[in-house]
Amino acid sequence: MDITVLFPVLDEKLRLRRGIETTVEYLRENSPIPYKIMILDNGSTDETPEIARQLCQEYKEVEYVRVNRRGVGVAFRKGIEESRSDIVGYMDIDLSANIKHLGEAIHIFESCPDIEYINGTRFGRQSVTKGRKWYRRITSKGLLVLLKAVFGMKCTDAVCGFTFVRKQTAQRLVEASGDEDGWFYTIEFLLRAERMGVRILDMPVEWQEDYNTTVKVWKTIKNYLVQIYKLRKEFRKEGNYVKKN
């Protein structure tokens, strides 16, 4: 068994080196399985490509892939396509989710062969969230309530920025999901997994707010509402999804 950790990035010259070095150091000390780290560049116009190439020269575990389209969704799909590992997943380059959870995820996949999907959650009973701004708490909770009301979502978070999946399951989910390029793709990915009967572990995480985030909150919310409407129509057309055997 091996794992590929994906880092979608866009103009991350200030955080890229620290995020990759921290992850490499952690995995060298704690991973019992082979690993790769893939930087997926969504079309950066700053020094991100140069820093990424330097990191590839310094660390044999690191790979750089230029995506040339913006959005976490397109980067996630590209990473799944490029990865040759048994486990593939993504984290935020700011490491908002504590790096220790990466080791926990690896252990779970090794010891629990029935678990196919690990979904990080900031809203589980054992989750710890620090520094969350009030308006982002409201929007995150609002999105969660909406997803549960519209789709009956069982998981307690949909956009934590910590998702790992067995490769074969990830490929099936990519085939079933649409082609939205932004954050909503990761939401559909999770909702599709629930509809397909994928065995998901909703894993509580320690999560630290990043005050330098490049996410445009209100623009993102507007897009979520549009995509929720479209996906609801799609699910209605599809009817009851035929679960895996």
Side-chain angles (χ1 to χ4, degrees):
M1 180 182 291
D2 60 347
I3 187 170
T4 296
V5 182
L6 310 175
F7 284 105
V9 297
L10 173 64
D11 293 337
E12 292 286 5
K13 66 177 183 179
L14 299 179
R15 296 181 292 190
L16 181 57
R17 176 167 287 278
R18 180 179 178 275
I20 296 300
E21 288 181 343
T22 300
T23 306
V24 169
E25 290 169 10
Y26 177 84
L27 288 171
R28 284 183 174 179
E29 294 180 7
N30 297 281
S31 179
I33 62 174
Y35 58 88
K36 289 285 186 183
I37 296 171
M38 189 182 297
I39 301 168
L40 294 145
D41 185 356
N42 281 126
S44 295
T45 56
D46 64 359
E47 291 83 42
T48 293
E50 289 75 16
I51 297 170
R53 293 187 183 100
Q54 289 170 7
L55 289 165
C56 291
Q57 292 177 353
E58 295 169 26
Y59 302 105
K60 66 181 188 307
E61 306 99 323
V62 178
E63 179 182 357
Y64 172 67
V65 177
R66 182 81 174 184
V67 181
N68 281 328
R69 280 168 60 194
R70 298 195 172 192
V72 171
V74 68
F76 189 29
R77 288 195 299 274
K78 182 66 172 178
I80 292 171
E81 176 189 336
E82 294 286 330
S83 171
R84 297 295 176 265
S85 298
D86 301 304
I87 308 296
V88 61
Y90 78 94
M91 297 176 63
D92 292 334
I93 196 61
D94 56 29
L95 301 180
S96 292
N98 193 309
I99 190 69
K100 71 179 183 180
H101 299 306
L102 180 54
E104 293 168 0
I106 291 171
H107 174 72
I108 290 167
F109 281 122
E110 275 200 305
S111 58
C112 304
D114 57 326
I115 297 295
E116 299 174 74
Y117 192 128
I118 292 178
N119 177 63
T121 174
R122 299 161 293 178
F123 304 120
R125 290 183 179 178
Q126 295 178 315
S127 302
V128 178
T129 302
K130 300 175 183 178
R132 189 74 166 156
K133 294 179 180 179
W134 66 268
Y135 62 87
R136 298 200 71 174
R137 287 200 303 271
I138 291 173
T139 55
S140 296
K141 283 286 190 178
L143 173 64
L144 183 60
V145 169
L146 191 58
L147 292 173
K148 287 184 174 295
V150 175
F151 301 105
M153 189 179 78
K154 298 179 179 66
C155 288
T156 58
D157 201 349
V159 283
C160 176
F162 186 92
T163 295
F164 286 88
V165 192
R166 295 190 189 273
K167 176 66 181 290
Q168 290 184 342
T169 300
Q171 289 175 317
R172 291 195 297 115
L173 290 171
V174 168
E175 291 173 3
S177 300
D179 58 0
E180 210 275 328
D181 286 349
W183 275 103
F184 192 79
Y185 181 82
T186 65
I187 298 174
E188 180 181 354
F189 198 82
L190 177 61
L191 292 171
R192 292 279 181 187
E194 288 192 345
R195 281 169 65 84
M196 292 168 67
V198 171
R199 183 71 183 275
I200 304 169
L201 175 65
D202 206 39
M203 188 172 84
V205 299
E206 292 181 15
W207 196 88
Q208 175 67 52
E209 172 77 36
D210 172 32
Y211 293 109
N212 294 313
T213 179
T214 57
V215 176
K216 295 178 175 60
V217 176
W218 303 114
K219 182 179 179 181
T220 301
I221 290 171
K222 181 180 178 182
N223 180 60
Y224 283 167
L225 293 174
V226 172
Q227 296 301 327
I228 285 170
Y229 174 75
K230 289 181 179 178
L231 188 60
R232 185 185 182 191
K233 286 179 65 177
E234 253 185 74
F235 279 5
R236 282 181 170 177
K237 286 181 182 178
E238 293 172 6
N240 293 326
Y241 202 95
V242 179
K243 295 184 178 181
K244 65 174 187 177
N245 295 325

